[in-house]
Amino acid sequence: MAALMSSQVLLIRPGATLYDEQNRVQGVLDIPLSEQGRSEVDRLAERLAARGDAPRLAALYCGPGESVVRTAEIVGKALGLRPKRIDEFRNLDQGLWQGLQIEEIRRRNTRLFRQWIDDPRTIRPPQGETIEEAMERVRAAFRPLFRRHQSEAFGLVAGEPLGRLIAAYLKRVPRLQLDEFLPCCGFERIEVHADVLGGNGSS
C-alpha cells in the first residue's frame, strides 16, 4: 500500500496596521504595519527562529500587500528564507466595506453584517467578492505548492480574513465562521489532509 502524501503549512498572520488598531475593514487596501505591528512581527520572528522542535521550513510564501510582505520579509530573515509573493493569496476583497469601522458597518447593515459573521459564504460585501470566489484562487495557488513540497513544511503569510479561509480549507472545516475581531501576528501549524494534497479539497 502506497504511503499517503503529507505536508505541513505554517500559517502566519501579519502584524497590526492602523486599520486593525482602529477596528476597520482592511480587505485589499494596502496599509503598512503600524509601530505596534512592527514590534509584534519582530517578536514573532524571534519566537519562530527559537523553536528547535518544529520542522524546518522548505520555503516561505506570502500574499501581496505591504503589511503582509513586510511581515514575510522580517520572518524570512530570521529563518534564513527569502519569501516568494503569490498574488492569488491576496486578501478577501470586501468592496465598499473597506475602510469602514466594524461598528459603522454593523449599525448601517445590522442583519447583513450578522449573516456575514455567522455564515459568510452566503454574503457578497457590496462591490466585493464572495468567499467561494476567493477560495477558487486559493485552491489554484496551493496546487503547485503541494506538488513542490510533498512531505515538507512551508510557511505562508496571509492577511485576515483570508487566513481564516485558508485554515478552514486546509483543515477541511465544513462550516466557516468569522469573528468581528480577527487576530494579528499569530501563527498555527496545520497538518494537511491527504485529500486536500491530492487536489480534491472542496471547502
Side-chain angles (χ1 to χ4, degrees):
M1 182 176 176
L4 292 174
M5 292 187 298
S6 65
S7 188
Q8 186 183 87
V9 176
L10 177 67
L11 181 59
I12 302 169
R13 271 74 173 187
T17 67
L18 286 177
Y19 271 31
D20 293 310
E21 294 169 17
Q22 296 168 358
N23 204 25
R24 294 183 185 274
V25 174
Q26 184 165 310
V28 295
L29 299 180
D30 197 6
I31 312 297
L33 292 171
S34 65
E35 184 175 340
Q36 172 189 322
R38 288 191 294 272
S39 297
E40 291 172 342
V41 176
D42 287 340
R43 290 194 298 271
L44 174 65
E46 290 174 4
R47 286 175 60 199
L48 292 174
R51 287 176 64 94
D53 59 333
R56 187 183 185 284
L57 300 184
L60 179 64
Y61 301 95
C62 67
E66 188 170 346
S67 65
V68 172
V69 171
R70 183 62 181 144
T71 297
E73 288 173 346
I74 294 170
V75 169
K77 184 176 181 180
L79 299 180
L81 295 168
R82 179 175 293 181
K84 302 177 181 66
R85 196 179 94 166
I86 298 177
D87 287 343
E88 285 75 14
F89 287 127
R90 65 186 176 275
N91 208 355
L92 183 70
D93 186 343
Q94 296 180 73
L96 297 180
W97 285 356
Q98 293 170 164
L100 299 179
Q101 290 185 309
I102 297 294
E103 184 57 40
E104 186 177 2
I105 299 171
R106 184 194 295 111
R107 189 171 62 248
R108 290 182 182 179
N109 308 274
T110 303
R111 188 164 59 182
L112 182 66
F113 182 73
R114 177 45 52 191
Q115 189 174 350
W116 166 251
I117 295 296
D118 292 341
D119 193 8
R121 291 180 186 274
T122 64
I123 294 296
R124 179 193 296 273
Q127 297 186 24
E129 67 179 334
T130 65
I131 296 292
E132 186 51 39
E133 286 168 344
M135 287 310 306
E136 285 181 8
R137 57 181 165 83
V138 164
R139 287 191 288 264
F142 267 120
R143 287 186 196 111
L145 300 187
F146 289 146
R147 288 195 296 269
R148 190 177 306 151
H149 299 295
Q150 293 181 28
S151 303
E152 291 182 333
F154 63 91
L156 171 63
V157 183
E160 287 292 349
L162 190 76
R164 190 67 55 88
L165 274 60
I166 290 171
Y169 167 61
L170 296 178
K171 295 176 182 178
R172 304 287 285 133
V173 174
R175 178 177 171 81
L176 177 67
Q177 283 188 283
L178 300 177
D179 294 331
E180 293 182 28
F181 304 101
L182 296 169
C184 291
C185 213
F187 70 92
E188 58 182 313
R189 293 184 182 273
I190 302 174
E191 295 289 342
V192 183
H193 292 228
D195 58 342
V196 176
L197 288 170
N200 298 318
S202 58
S203 293

